[in-house]
Amino acid sequence: MPPAKPKAGLVGAARTEVKSIDNQNLLHDSGDNGEDDGAANASTRISAYSDSILTWFKKRNGDTLQGALAFVPWVLQQAYFEGGLAEGQIVIHRGTGAVVFSDASGFTKLTEELATRSNGAELLSQCLQGFFTPLIDLINNYRGDVIKFSGDALMVYFQAVDDTKSPKYKCVVPPHGTYGLPDLGPMATAVLRASACCIEIHKRLHMFDTHVEGVFLCLHIGVGCGNISILQVGGEIPPGTRVRRLEYFIAGPPLEQIRVAEPLAKNGETCLSPQAWEYVKDCVIEGRPLQGRPEYHLLLRMDESKYTFPTIKHAAMENDNRSEKRFRLSELNIIRKYIPSAVFKQIECGTLVYVNEMRNISVIFINGAGLDVMSTKGAATAQELMVEVQKKCYQHEGTLNKFMIDDKGMLFLLVFGLPPLVHTDDPTRAVLSCFDMVKVFKRLELVGRFGVTTGRSYCGVCGSNRRMEYTVLGDCINLAARLMANANEHSILCDEDTKNRCSNEVIFNALAPIKVKGKEGRVSVFQPIKKEAADSIGLGKDRLMRFPWYDHPFASAQVGTGSHGFNSMQRNVQQLCSVKTWFGICRVSEMLGGSFAKSMHVNEQVIQTTGKPPNKAHPQAPPGSPFEVGGVVVLEGQTGTGKIELAEHIVIYAAQRLQILTVFGTMGPRPGDSVRMAVELLRSTLGVYRGLNPGSLPDDDYQALHKVTPQELTSRLQILSVALKDPGVKERQQAILDNALEVVIALLSTLIKTQPIILLLQFEYGTSLFPKSAPDQVIFWNAVSKLTCMVQTEMQNGKAAGRKPLVMMIICRDAEEDSPAVKISKSKNSFIHLSGLTEENILEYMSAYLSVPDNLIPQALRQFVGAVTLGNPRHIRETIDQLLEGNLQVIVGANQMPKQIDVKDIDKINVSSWQHTAMVGGTVCLLESLDPLEAAVLKMSTCFTGTFTLPDLAASTCSRWADATHFDFLRLFNAIRKLVESNIIEKVDDEDEALNGEIVRAHGTMIAGGIAPTGLPLRTSKNGTFGKTQSFQTRNLLIRAVGGAMVLEAQKRSVKRQALIDRALWRELPARMDELAKKRNAQHIPWYYEQAFRRM
């Protein structure tokens, strides 16, 4: 039977919760900062909800708690109950015990073997679970605590605890497990348990069969003991979240011991430090002697005349009381601070199994030295270092995967490309973040070494259901560690893949190839250098216009270096702006008072700044235009829609025809670019001065500023000298920008007495997924507001005072609605929002790009390009370029003129394979940034070529026939609603029941065990129990192609099959159940009684 209609109170409460149901709940409410008081606040509302609601939330939170507990060690939970996790506390635990570091060999080869297989991630995940489950079970049984996973290695803490004082201790068998022998004491017992655990691990897991030919897993282990500290550091909020992220790590003398001990052990061996050996030398049998390090000892086996590992293990388990200090549901917000937010969301949604995958990532390994974290000062410095590293990593939208101290020292592992922070330029982001972090290490007087690599690696959970971590494995990660080890102090080494995939923002110097462990031949190594800012922005000394976006490829089309980049931009301007009916060029031509001419953009145009003023024969800006009276022009639109091409045309036209010169100030696409904006404003303003009065100013910008800056502002120039020497400076950025704005405003006030000026301001956040949370956006619009005051004054009084027009032109993706500049542009009808080209525009643009008459372009090609690109000019260029590689050919006649366009297999093109393009790569990044449930909905929606409904999707995740609740449906509906708001899927009127026929055609004509005609509607009525059933559809061809490529064929068939079954049941089952109920309620007379009655 279909679920009964819920009570009104339940529906009302559910709808109240639906907006936040994916991020918070009754007993687990993360608040603005993810603090602990969320649960307390939520508990005050519990009485307002029915038992049904409480039951649903408690079950959901209980499942989340069970999954989250595996991501935190026991000692962290112990510290919480002992008050060690208080706000601002760095050292959360001090104790003594044994530390074990076990390193596995064979995982790199295993990852390489499986990386090329279509189901490689699944196979590797199964192998990892098969290996780590018994390993972690053994560690737990001996009362070990897995503190950290270091890739395929484990750091384990065996805490020294006096079991004789435990309530569980029965005073019969000593804590070591052998009756009749005296108690060894807490430390010796801890080392003994660690030793016995290592022996059993080797016995059970040595030469572990991975079921991949020639690949076996082995462990080599180091053991140390002594005083231990557990520290927690960090606290910054990652992009796209509201929860502070904390990192914990273990430190102390045992770490120094195992740094020596672990490399001395071969596969299948355990090496004990001298300190650990002193505690167990009478309890174990020593292995082969170590040449050169006789003070370290190999462990062969237990001295079974005294101790055996089964008895040691049994005693450890019998006295284990750690479960008494275990996080409860009320501490769920504490746990999530130590778990990556993306992983926690997967735990909440019950989709953790799907995080395991092979993906292309960029990895940074950082080795830090010069810090003693055991001291009070060292702990404080570690906290400051972690906060700064988190900031630099998060500013570039990366993930800090690990921070630990192991056999290599203090290590950071940063990853760029993990969901949801996936970008097409992750290698560039990784390298640029290294430049920022080098400055952090230098400022803190620490030594940092950096290794950066890019490649395909395993990304997923590693461990067992009892203890796991989200980690990355593969040759790429190992190579980053090797490069880090070979780097000099404060230097960065990169591999060839990183170098090849970086943008032109970074220059690479080739170094001598090096030999690294695990590689047969030598490895090519490169040292990155950040590209210096252009010395000339705006009008140069050669009277050529240098645009700032030539140095920033994410602002427009792919711009290279040198003349190639210039020529490609000019070609884009010529082709796009020559589309006569394009809305953008039409609006701009109206404001400029003249039409577009290709001749202006054929070659680099020399700008005339001296001589006679233009006569009346020259074009003039129309009356009331911003270019005639001053004002604000805003160009808004997504990347690739033509903002840059329009802006370049405006600047060139204004300079050549209207004698208006331009001053530039841009920010982005990288974080912390406010100093660059200040430098561009200063240099381009000086460029105008030099152009108007050649030879009047010295070549040095600082000296030139001193000459033209009013006397009352010369005191501000000292701080600007630092920025002019190094535009990448990170200190006192706000002060530099504020002072630069004051100076520029004063200089512009002087210029516009005789020269009209365009003040072009651009904010571009490139491929960033969470720009709204970035402080740069606030800085930019604050700067715009300050400059707008000057523009408003000139609009009101400038013309009357005989001054020339001052035009502010703003280029951005999303204009700030509350900005005074934006309001002025809208009120004066100079706000231009750019979207996709129309069908007519697309045809004209394709004709210009292919250099063919538009009547030669086949209709099928037009439709395909329009559907895939949605009219985005940049995407149109990329699509045509891809088609020209095999599906599209322009046939030229004898006169070298195009006579035909041959298009083949256009219906078989796999658009999702174009991931190197901004179009597809950007779509992948968009889909990866979705929450788990939204991503699941989108992927399921691509399985339907027609429309679908909420019950169709619920059939595969929370079927109404499988004990699903209305809250499950509401969560699914909320995910659909968010996708609709993001224009990823659309609401449609399903009048023709297209989906029903599509499902039936996909699965034959079998319906509920019977046969029905093809295309038979399964839905008997569009108005169900809860009113009209809304239909949806994923119509965006690009999103369908990319999203569909993320779903296996077996999963697609399953989604459609479940939808078919659900519709069949909804159509047939209620009537059959009603009929059955009638039969049951009807009075039944047995057949033989009926016959007897008839004979009577």
Side-chain angles (χ1 to χ4, degrees):
M1 291 287 291
K5 185 173 182 179
K7 297 179 180 179
L10 175 60
V11 174
R15 288 173 179 166
T16 302
E17 291 295 326
V18 73
K19 291 186 178 180
S20 59
I21 204 166
D22 288 326
N23 301 316
Q24 58 185 9
N25 46 50
L26 283 173
L27 304 178
H28 154 225
D29 191 336
S30 57
D32 288 339
N33 297 308
E35 300 299 335
D36 309 357
D37 59 352
N41 294 336
S43 64
T44 62
R45 304 197 306 266
I46 288 181
S47 59
Y49 297 96
S50 68
D51 291 341
S52 300
I53 297 176
L54 293 178
T55 301
W56 187 90
F57 277 113
K58 286 178 180 178
K59 180 181 182 303
R60 177 171 177 254
N61 293 342
D63 294 341
T64 301
L65 175 66
Q66 292 304 312
L69 281 173
F71 285 84
V72 290
W74 288 105
V75 70
L76 200 68
Q77 303 176 61
Q78 174 188 337
Y80 172 76
F81 286 100
E82 294 175 355
L85 297 186
E87 185 72 25
Q89 189 162 344
I90 299 175
V91 180
I92 62 176
H93 170 81
R94 295 188 189 273
T96 58
V99 177
V100 171
F101 184 77
S102 67
D103 193 9
S105 61
F107 271 110
T108 300
K109 186 176 180 181
L110 177 65
T111 305
E112 290 176 348
E113 290 287 335
L114 297 179
T116 57
R117 302 189 186 183
S118 59
N119 60 341
E122 182 181 357
L123 295 175
L124 183 55
S125 176
Q126 293 173 356
C127 185
L128 289 172
Q129 187 171 14
F131 179 75
F132 278 105
T133 295
L135 174 61
I136 292 174
D137 285 346
L138 284 173
I139 292 170
N140 273 322
N141 291 341
Y142 282 96
R143 217 188 302 176
D145 190 5
V146 179
I147 303 297
K148 278 286 184 180
F149 288 73
S150 178
D152 50 16
L154 297 179
M155 185 78 73
V156 187
Y157 176 34
F158 290 82
Q159 189 173 353
V161 180
D162 190 353
D163 283 344
T164 61
K165 298 180 181 179
S166 170
K168 289 187 174 183
Y169 185 62
K170 299 178 180 179
C171 303
V172 178
V173 179
H176 54 66
T178 301
Y179 180 79
L181 293 181
D183 181 19
L184 298 175
M187 178 63 88
T189 301
V191 179
L192 181 65
R193 287 171 179 166
S195 302
C197 180
C198 294
I199 291 173
E200 187 170 0
I201 286 173
H202 288 313
K203 286 184 176 292
R204 292 188 57 183
L205 296 176
H206 184 57
M207 296 299 291
F208 180 84
D209 188 3
T210 63
H211 302 293
V212 175
E213 186 177 357
V215 181
F216 298 89
L217 303 181
C218 305
L219 289 168
H220 52 105
I221 304 175
V223 181
C225 69
N227 294 326
I228 288 297
S229 293
I230 306 290
L231 295 84
Q232 68 171 6
V233 290
E236 290 297 302
I237 300 176
T241 70
R242 297 181 300 171
V243 181
R244 295 186 301 114
R245 183 77 168 92
L246 294 172
E247 299 286 341
Y248 58 88
F249 65 97
I250 185 171
L255 278 296
E256 299 293 331
Q257 300 168 25
I258 61 176
R259 185 179 302 175
V260 179
E262 184 264 333
L264 295 174
K266 297 181 179 179
N267 286 335
E269 294 181 338
T270 298
C271 180
L272 274 65
S273 70
Q275 295 83 350
W277 179 255
E278 282 299 315
Y279 285 104
V280 296
K281 61 184 179 182
D282 297 327
C283 308
V284 299
I285 304 299
E286 185 178 4
R288 62 178 176 84
L290 291 169
Q291 300 296 327
R293 299 306 296 259
E295 69 275 20
Y296 285 81
H297 304 268
L298 292 179
L299 186 63
L300 181 62
R301 64 176 186 275
M302 302 301 301
D303 184 351
E304 295 176 356
S305 64
K306 301 176 182 178
Y307 307 96
T308 63
F309 57 77
T311 56
I312 297 171
K313 178 168 59 176
H314 177 76
M317 295 171 63
E318 190 175 45
N319 297 314
D320 190 359
N321 62 354
R322 292 179 297 180
S323 60
E324 297 174 3
K325 295 181 179 179
R326 189 182 183 94
F327 281 137
R328 300 155 300 190
L329 195 58
S330 56
E331 283 86 43
L332 195 56
N333 284 318
I334 301 296
I335 305 176
R336 70 182 304 171
K337 297 178 183 179
Y338 302 93
I339 304 175
S341 58
V343 175
F344 191 84
K345 287 180 180 179
Q346 297 282 4
I347 297 173
E348 281 187 307
C349 295
T351 56
L352 187 62
V353 66
Y354 300 115
V355 303
N356 304 326
E357 57 187 339
M358 295 288 186
R359 64 168 50 247
N360 290 316
I361 56 175
S362 292
V363 176
I364 305 174
F365 249 117
I366 308 174
N367 174 252
L371 183 62
D372 178 15
V373 296
M374 294 294 286
S375 67
T376 303
K377 181 180 179 181
T381 304
Q383 164 65 9
E384 185 178 0
L385 175 63
M386 172 54 73
V387 168
E388 289 300 317
V389 170
Q390 282 184 328
K391 284 181 179 178
K392 304 309 178 188
C393 178
Y394 297 158
Q395 283 175 358
H396 292 274
E397 294 192 351
T399 302
L400 202 159
N401 186 257
K402 280 182 180 53
F403 175 57
M404 62 185 298
I405 295 178
D406 66 1
D407 60 312
K408 298 179 181 65
M410 183 170 60
L411 294 177
F412 297 83
L413 175 60
L414 285 67
V415 186
F416 288 76
L418 293 179
L421 303 175
V422 180
H423 314 85
T424 55
D425 59 327
D426 278 317
T428 305
R429 290 173 175 269
V431 175
L432 292 178
S433 68
C434 286
F435 293 138
D436 294 340
M437 288 183 283
V438 166
K439 295 181 180 180
V440 171
F441 276 84
K442 288 181 178 179
R443 180 172 59 80
L444 296 177
E445 298 182 352
L446 302 174
V447 175
R449 293 178 172 86
F450 301 77
V452 186
T453 57
T454 300
R456 190 168 177 80
S457 304
Y458 171 81
C459 308
V461 292
C462 181
S464 71
N465 291 333
R466 299 180 69 176
R467 184 71 175 93
M468 66 178 73
E469 278 190 7
Y470 185 82
T471 190
V472 289
L473 296 172
D475 179 64
C476 165
I477 290 85
N478 293 338
L479 181 57
R482 308 288 185 246
L483 295 183
M484 172 197 71
N486 282 273
N488 296 323
E489 293 184 3
H490 304 307
S491 67
I492 308 165
L493 294 184
C494 300
D495 69 339
E496 191 168 8
D497 283 342
T498 301
K499 176 236 177 197
N500 292 337
R501 299 184 188 184
C502 272
S503 71
N504 63 1
E505 296 168 87
V506 183
I507 300 171
F508 289 88
N509 291 335
L511 304 179
I514 61 174
K515 187 77 174 76
V516 298
K517 180 182 176 182
K519 295 287 186 180
E520 294 182 2
R522 291 185 174 272
V523 176
S524 299
V525 181
F526 302 86
Q527 185 173 35
I529 300 173
K530 191 171 184 180
K531 184 179 178 181
E532 295 293 334
D535 293 332
S536 175
I537 291 293
L539 186 63
K541 299 172 186 177
D542 53 3
R543 299 185 183 279
L544 300 178
M545 191 66 70
R546 177 70 185 181
F547 294 95
W549 44 78
Y550 286 175
D551 299 307
H552 305 290
F554 301 104
S556 58
Q558 296 173 345
V559 179
T561 57
S563 61
H564 172 73
F566 172 79
N567 292 333
S568 66
M569 264 312 302
Q570 274 200 331
R571 189 164 53 252
N572 292 342
V573 174
Q574 293 170 7
Q575 293 166 346
L576 182 57
C577 293
S578 62
V579 178
K580 297 178 181 178
T581 58
W582 178 35
F583 165 76
I585 195 62
C586 291
R587 287 287 295 112
V588 166
S589 297
E590 290 175 7
M591 288 189 288
L592 291 173
S595 59
F596 172 79
K598 285 186 178 181
S599 58
M600 289 186 184
H601 304 275
V602 172
N603 297 304
E604 291 187 280
Q605 300 289 322
V606 175
I607 307 300
Q608 297 296 331
T609 58
T610 58
K612 297 180 180 180
N615 55 42
K616 295 183 179 181
H618 283 78
Q620 301 291 322
S625 165
F627 299 96
E628 193 265 339
V629 296
V632 181
V633 177
V634 176
L635 302 180
E636 179 195 64
Q638 295 296 311
T639 300
T641 52
K643 304 188 301 292
I644 301 302
E645 288 83 352
L646 275 181
E648 185 160 334
H649 169 60
I650 291 173
V651 170
I652 296 297
Y653 184 98
Q656 289 187 352
R657 302 290 177 86
L658 306 179
Q659 279 66 53
I660 305 177
L661 300 180
T662 303
V663 171
F664 295 91
T666 66
M667 285 183 64
R670 303 305 176 193
D673 269 351
S674 60
V675 173
R676 194 194 80 212
M677 181 181 186
V679 171
E680 287 182 359
L681 285 168
L682 293 170
R683 285 180 173 167
S684 57
T685 303
L686 289 175
V688 174
Y689 270 92
R690 291 188 178 108
L692 294 174
N693 301 285
S696 62
L697 295 179
D699 291 341
D700 183 80
D701 289 335
Y702 181 65
Q703 295 177 10
L705 277 177
H706 257 291
K707 189 169 182 179
V708 297
T709 301
Q711 185 64 34
E712 63 271 17
L713 294 178
T714 53
S715 60
R716 301 177 181 269
L717 298 183
Q718 185 60 42
I719 190 174
L720 298 180
S721 66
V722 178
L724 290 171
K725 292 177 182 177
D726 179 15
V729 65
K730 298 298 183 181
E731 292 76 23
R732 302 186 66 187
Q733 291 186 337
Q734 189 61 56
I736 291 173
L737 180 59
D738 290 341
N739 282 276
L741 290 175
E742 293 294 328
V743 172
V744 168
I745 289 173
L747 297 181
L748 291 178
S749 298
T750 302
L751 278 175
I752 57 177
K753 293 177 181 179
T754 58
Q755 174 64 45
I757 295 292
I758 293 175
L759 178 58
L760 191 152
L761 304 175
Q762 179 195 16
F763 181 70
E764 181 65 41
Y765 46 82
T767 59
S768 296
L769 298 168
F770 300 99
K772 293 294 184 182
S773 62
D776 286 353
Q777 185 154 301
V778 177
I779 294 172
F780 175 81
W781 287 105
N782 285 342
V784 169
S785 297
K786 293 179 180 179
L787 294 169
T788 303
C789 295
M790 179 185 182
V791 175
Q792 287 178 305
T793 301
E794 293 303 315
M795 289 175 65
Q796 296 170 1
N797 308 318
K799 193 170 184 179
R803 291 192 291 270
K804 302 298 182 180
L806 175 62
V807 185
M808 177 188 288
M809 183 160 62
I810 302 172
I811 308 173
C812 59
R813 187 184 299 189
D814 302 300
E816 188 68 40
E817 294 294 332
D818 295 331
S819 169
V822 175
K823 292 179 179 179
I824 291 173
S825 68
K826 289 187 175 181
S827 66
K828 300 295 183 179
N829 196 27
S830 56
F831 184 95
I832 302 176
H833 174 77
L834 299 175
S835 55
L837 303 179
T838 64
E839 290 186 15
E840 181 184 0
N841 297 157
I842 292 174
L843 176 60
E844 195 173 349
Y845 188 45
M846 290 174 64
S847 172
Y849 192 74
L850 289 169
S851 300
V852 299
D854 55 11
N855 60 353
L856 290 183
I857 300 178
Q859 182 67 24
L861 178 60
R862 302 179 195 177
Q863 294 175 346
F864 176 80
V865 173
V868 170
T869 66
L870 297 181
N872 184 297
R874 181 180 185 182
H875 296 172
I876 292 173
R877 296 193 296 268
E878 291 180 333
T879 301
I880 293 176
D881 289 341
Q882 293 303 308
L883 293 176
L884 286 170
E885 293 182 4
N887 302 90
L888 177 64
Q889 181 180 7
V890 179
I891 300 175
V892 181
N895 57 356
Q896 299 302 309
M897 297 294 292
K899 68 173 186 178
Q900 182 181 344
I901 293 181
D902 186 17
V903 180
K904 49 184 181 179
D905 299 331
I906 199 168
D907 56 332
K908 299 179 181 178
I909 294 173
N910 181 14
V911 176
S912 62
S913 65
W914 301 348
Q915 294 201 12
H916 56 286
T917 64
M919 177 180 69
V920 176
T923 305
V924 171
C925 298
L926 169 66
L927 302 189
E928 294 278 18
S929 68
L930 298 174
D931 281 344
L933 190 57
E934 294 170 33
V937 167
L938 173 63
K939 291 175 183 178
M940 286 190 291
S941 74
T942 63
C943 300
F944 302 95
T945 57
T947 59
F948 61 89
T949 63
L950 174 63
D952 293 331
L953 301 183
S956 297
T957 57
C958 50
S959 174
R960 49 189 162 187
W961 316 105
D963 199 30
T965 67
H966 292 297
F967 271 102
D968 295 313
F969 269 62
L970 279 171
R971 292 182 68 235
L972 198 60
F973 174 75
N974 191 42
I976 295 175
R977 178 180 60 82
K978 290 180 179 179
L979 293 175
V980 171
E981 291 175 352
S982 302
N983 296 319
I984 294 176
I985 64 176
E986 301 175 31
K987 290 182 179 180
V988 295
D989 293 326
D990 189 20
E991 297 297 338
D992 57 356
E993 299 290 349
L995 175 62
N996 297 322
E998 183 265 327
I999 291 181
V1000 175
R1001 287 193 295 274
H1003 294 278
T1005 56
M1006 184 177 67
I1007 300 180
I1011 303 298
T1014 300
L1016 177 68
L1018 298 182
R1019 190 187 306 149
T1020 57
S1021 172
K1022 292 182 69 68
N1023 296 325
T1025 307
F1026 305 105
K1028 181 179 178 180
T1029 301
Q1030 177 65 57
S1031 296
F1032 306 90
Q1033 188 174 9
T1034 306
R1035 289 179 170 173
N1036 187 308
L1037 185 59
L1038 181 59
I1039 290 178
R1040 285 190 63 85
V1042 175
M1046 297 179 177
V1047 187
L1048 300 176
E1049 286 300 322
Q1051 294 173 325
K1052 293 180 180 179
R1053 290 194 296 269
S1054 176
V1055 170
K1056 290 186 177 183
R1057 187 184 305 115
Q1058 293 299 326
L1060 173 64
I1061 293 172
D1062 180 86
R1063 289 194 170 198
L1065 289 174
W1066 183 256
R1067 174 176 175 262
E1068 301 287 345
L1069 190 58
R1072 293 187 181 185
M1073 294 299 291
D1074 290 342
E1075 184 179 350
L1076 180 60
K1078 290 179 182 179
K1079 289 182 179 180
R1080 288 177 176 175
N1081 293 331
Q1083 185 177 9
H1084 175 65
I1085 301 175
W1087 177 82
Y1088 48 87
Y1089 281 129
E1090 184 178 349
Q1091 296 300 316
F1093 288 147
R1094 288 179 178 176
R1095 290 194 297 267
M1096 291 177 63

